DNA sequence: AAGTGGTCTAGACCACTAT
DNA sequence: TAGTGGTCTAGACCACTTT
């Protein structure tokens, strides 16, 4: 049956398989006395089989019914194990056809800003300096980004984050001036920046748009960040919206190219 | 009971709530005749409540038991709805305490390379030109990246991706020369690049490491990509590993700053 | 002790795909 | 028609937190 399907590409990877097929299952069993949930154990077993090459990209996993029978678990538990692997981008399920091991996909890679969050955790060595905060009237671009009319009153702020006295991150932003919105005052506080990343910040923000791009640092940015010219950097632009979907603030973070590491993995290791 | 918990921050958002508490539930019910699964319907109802501000960041969702009772579904179905919201980064669950609406977290944002995948889908307008492919002996850096000894024989390739005759992406890479590995020949084919992104490529790759950084284009890169100097760009470095966790290839993609858009959203909209 | 999320089951039924 | 994934249930039990 599906034994033949397993055999079809076996030759290329013969070195990985001592027995082939489902004999491999015999080596790892579910341990009910263990604290780890059964579905996680089963997911680990399957992940290990993928890692070893016993299950290769394109291969079909044993059906949920088969897994349930083999490992003495219920259908729902077997499903949960497979769903876990699906969440981890290792397999794909197709109704009526089966579940298949994914090939490595560069397009599924994602660079997280988690590392940025960590910059703020080391509180003892982190300081944020408010360089400037002043009233301005919105120019054309600001008005467009914040969906206000040109000339509307705004607050423009510039801040610099230092870690161990090294300048790391330069932040500029425009806040709509509206005395009825408490976010305006609190946005000036240094804690808010940290809160934005770690999630302890203002609950007035419902959502935000982010865009990252490579830039040439301008003179001001280079000076503030202690970089030479010409020099490249990363610019992270953000617009935050409130619960009416009305923009609250628009701004951008500028990083020296060496102060933000964007690293990720694809596939399984 | 939890009604009091709801009230605690109500004042700030009074304008969003007509009744407050679970009266809101009465407006949306589960429709069993519909094709959409019950758990997705319930997740949508809760998502809508978050979107409207009836459930705000920090608020506790009704317990799974309550949801099950209110919407006449089983415990497991209510859980599945909540898990869906958790996957979408909207809520957090804590055993023994409850499930809470998340605050917007910049650190949880992630920039996907999905857009890159799309560059290759428009096959009619896409062409890949092999600029160079030649044998080289690994220098110190190449040897380190590929975990081989200096002087090991490699193949160095340079390729250019054009979309509608516009140069978009410049790819350089080193492949370990090993006649027994079929990946070497196939890596030279243009289809492989596309496959890497869309997942139809070599199943010999088990995993890969990726790093993105901002760069100043050098003369060669600027010339190939049709950019002026000085000019910034993005560099995506990659190392791919086989099923023995041995490096297969090392290389990098270079983009003009305007040809790769890294955009994402946080929170809910 | 009561309430919360988390796990697991055994069985039912459905939608889809292969044959 | 048989096999696949996908949904749903009613009830059991567990681990944890709050009161």
């Amino acid at each position: 049956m599906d034994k033949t399907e397993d055999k079809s590409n076996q030759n290329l990877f013969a070195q990985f398989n001592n027995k082939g097929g489902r004999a491999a299952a015999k080596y790892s069993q579910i341990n009910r006395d263990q604290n780890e949930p059964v579905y996680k154990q089963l997911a680990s077993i399957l992940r290990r089989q993928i890692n070893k090459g016993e299950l290769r990209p394109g291969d079909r996993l044993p059906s949920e019914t088969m897994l349930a029978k083999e490992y003495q678990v219920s259908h729902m538990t077997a499903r949960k194990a497979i769903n876990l692997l699906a969440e981890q981008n290792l397999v794909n399920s197709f109704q009526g056809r089966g579940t298949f091991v994914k090939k490595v996909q560069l397009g599924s890679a994602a660079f997280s800003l988690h590392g940025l969050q960590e910059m703020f955790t080391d509180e003892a060595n982190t300081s944020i300096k408010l360089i400037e905060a002043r009233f301005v009237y919105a120019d054309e671009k600001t008005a467009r980004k914040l969906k206000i009319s040109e000339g509307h009153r705004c607050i423009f702020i510039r801040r610099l984050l230092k870690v161990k006295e090294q300048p790391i991150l330069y932040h500029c932003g425009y806040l709509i001036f509206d005395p009825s919105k408490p976010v305006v005052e609190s946005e000036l506080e240094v804690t808010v920046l940290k809160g934005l990343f770690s999630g302890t910040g203002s609950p007035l923000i419902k959502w935000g748009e982010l865009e990252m791009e490579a830039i040439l640092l301008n003179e001001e940015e280079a000076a503030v960040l202690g970089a030479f010219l010409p020099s490249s950097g990363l610019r992270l632009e953000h617009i935050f919206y409130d619960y009416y979907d009305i923009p609250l603030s628009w701004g951008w973070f500028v990083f020296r190219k060496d102060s933000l590491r964007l690293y990720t993995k694809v596939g399984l290791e």
Side-chain angles (χ1 to χ4, degrees), chain A:
Chain A
M1 328 250 131
D2 67 313
K3 194 84 175 262
T4 53
E5 188 118 359
D6 275 339
K7 285 280 181 190
S8 63
N9 291 317
Q10 208 88 322
N11 47 346
L12 270 173
F13 279 77
Q15 56 268 54
F16 297 120
N17 300 320
N18 29 23
K19 307 258 161 109
R22 69 180 60 100
K26 299 279 183 257
Y27 294 110
S28 6
Q29 295 289 353
I30 302 296
N31 180 356
R32 323 281 309 199
D33 304 326
Q34 210 171 318
N35 255 342
E36 197 182 19
V38 173
Y39 77 94
K40 284 186 185 170
Q41 290 186 50
L42 180 49
S44 294
I45 292 173
L46 295 170
R47 198 182 300 107
R48 210 173 307 127
Q49 290 179 12
I50 295 173
N51 193 308
K52 283 187 186 162
E54 293 164 9
L55 286 169
R56 299 182 311 286
D59 281 1
R60 203 183 74 198
L61 267 65
S63 76
E64 296 174 354
T65 316
M66 285 304 301
L67 287 174
K69 213 175 282 176
E70 290 254 342
Y71 292 92
Q72 302 282 352
V73 300
S74 74
H75 177 204
M76 286 299 278
T77 302
R79 290 214 77 219
K80 229 178 153 181
I82 287 181
N83 284 340
L84 192 57
L85 297 179
E87 274 171 39
Q88 296 167 349
N89 256 304
L90 295 177
V91 302
N92 254 343
S93 293
F94 302 94
Q95 192 172 71
R97 295 209 283 131
T99 300
F100 300 84
V101 181
K102 269 198 186 180
K103 295 183 177 116
V104 165
Q105 253 184 292
L106 229 53
S108 75
F111 294 94
S112 141
L113 291 181
H114 187 79
L116 230 163
Q117 199 165 324
E118 286 163 11
M119 286 184 186
F120 292 89
T121 54
D122 183 14
E123 302 206 31
N125 291 315
T126 300
S127 70
I128 298 179
K129 185 179 147 203
L130 185 62
I131 301 177
E132 183 184 12
R134 66 167 204 270
F135 285 105
V136 295
Y137 296 96
D139 58 13
E140 187 273 333
K141 188 172 185 181
T142 307
R144 182 158 35 86
K145 296 279 185 182
L146 291 173
K147 292 179 189 154
I148 52 179
S149 50
E150 243 178 283
H152 194 292
R153 212 166 179 199
C154 294
I155 296 172
F156 176 65
I157 58 176
R158 296 194 293 133
R159 294 183 279 200
L160 182 64
L161 172 81
K162 287 186 180 181
V163 177
K164 289 180 188 165
E165 299 304 313
Q166 291 296 310
I168 294 292
L169 185 162
Y170 180 39
H171 183 214
C172 302
Y174 292 87
L175 315 171
I176 295 182
F177 178 66
D178 179 349
S180 73
K181 281 189 186 149
V183 77
V184 172
E185 298 106 53
S186 66
E187 265 272 3
L188 295 176
E189 297 168 16
V190 289
T191 54
V192 168
L193 252 193
K194 185 192 167 189
L196 259 186
F197 288 98
S198 60
T200 56
S202 166
L204 289 174
I205 296 173
K206 187 170 82 178
W207 64 289
E209 292 178 286
L210 302 174
E211 184 155 7
M212 177 99 78
E213 64 173 353
I215 56 167
L216 288 174
L217 298 186
N218 62 30
E219 277 186 39
E220 179 206 349
E221 291 158 348
V224 169
L225 291 171
F228 299 107
L229 283 176
S231 168
S232 66
L234 282 171
R235 184 185 131 116
L236 177 62
E237 184 174 330
H238 58 82
I239 305 180
F240 293 115
Y241 297 84
D242 71 7
Y243 271 81
Y244 298 106
D245 296 324
I246 292 174
L248 283 168
S249 69
W250 165 57
W252 56 93
F253 299 94
V254 177
F255 306 86
R256 280 170 53 154
K257 61 154 286 183
D258 50 1
S259 63
L260 180 62
R261 192 171 167 204
L262 294 171
Y263 174 84
T264 192
K265 289 181 181 179
V266 286
L268 189 145
E269 191 265 348

